[in-house]
Amino acid sequence: MEEDKNEQTPEEIIQQENSTLKLKMMAEQGAKFFEGSENELSPVIENQWLHYIQNFEELHKNAKKISVYKFIGEPPFEAEANLDSGSITEKLNELLDYMGEHGVCLDYMDD
């Protein structure tokens, strides 16, 4: 009995799903994909990655928006006018520590 020539291999099915996912992501989120890389992923890994990105985008779209200030519990602040330059540095470090205790990390490129 001859095997059906139209039957797809599991890898071809995954590649087709990957193409469909990419088209959907390009249409819905403006995603861009670059083809022809020397380091292309296997179709199975690419499929897992595409589903991960799709899930992330869905979570982001439905996420509740909240300010960092509210997220860390609205701590009291000393008015800048009441602080000298040494106190500002001290208070900033206290705030960064406080934010860290609440799972918020702020990095910046300045002394």
Side-chain angles (χ1 to χ4, degrees):
M1 209 159 126
E2 198 172 310
E3 194 174 312
D4 185 3
K5 292 182 181 180
N6 292 329
E7 191 174 309
Q8 292 181 313
T9 66
E11 185 171 301
E12 290 171 330
I13 292 169
I14 291 174
Q15 286 175 331
Q16 186 174 11
E17 181 183 357
N18 290 350
S19 294
T20 303
L21 285 169
K22 287 179 183 180
L23 288 172
K24 182 178 179 187
M25 293 167 83
M26 288 187 311
E28 292 178 358
Q29 284 98 25
K32 295 182 182 182
F33 297 93
F34 302 97
E35 302 292 331
S37 171
E38 295 175 8
N39 301 319
E40 286 190 30
L41 297 172
S42 74
V44 172
I45 298 297
E46 181 180 39
N47 187 268
Q48 291 171 346
W49 181 80
L50 290 168
H51 281 285
Y52 173 81
I53 297 299
Q54 188 177 37
N55 185 52
F56 175 85
E57 290 291 339
E58 189 66 27
L59 290 171
H60 182 266
K61 182 173 82 176
N62 296 320
K64 179 182 170 190
K65 307 279 191 265
I66 184 171
S67 72
V68 172
Y69 179 65
K70 283 190 180 208
F71 183 79
I72 64 173
E74 300 180 347
F77 288 98
E78 185 75 35
E80 180 184 2
N82 298 339
L83 301 173
D84 59 30
S85 61
S87 297
I88 288 176
T89 300
E90 180 184 329
K91 293 294 182 181
L92 175 60
N93 288 331
E94 287 176 13
L95 176 60
L96 293 173
D97 289 342
Y98 187 83
M99 289 169 58
E101 292 169 8
H102 289 80
V104 177
C105 178
L106 174 65
D107 290 322
Y108 50 93
M109 297 175 62
D110 198 348
D111 293 335

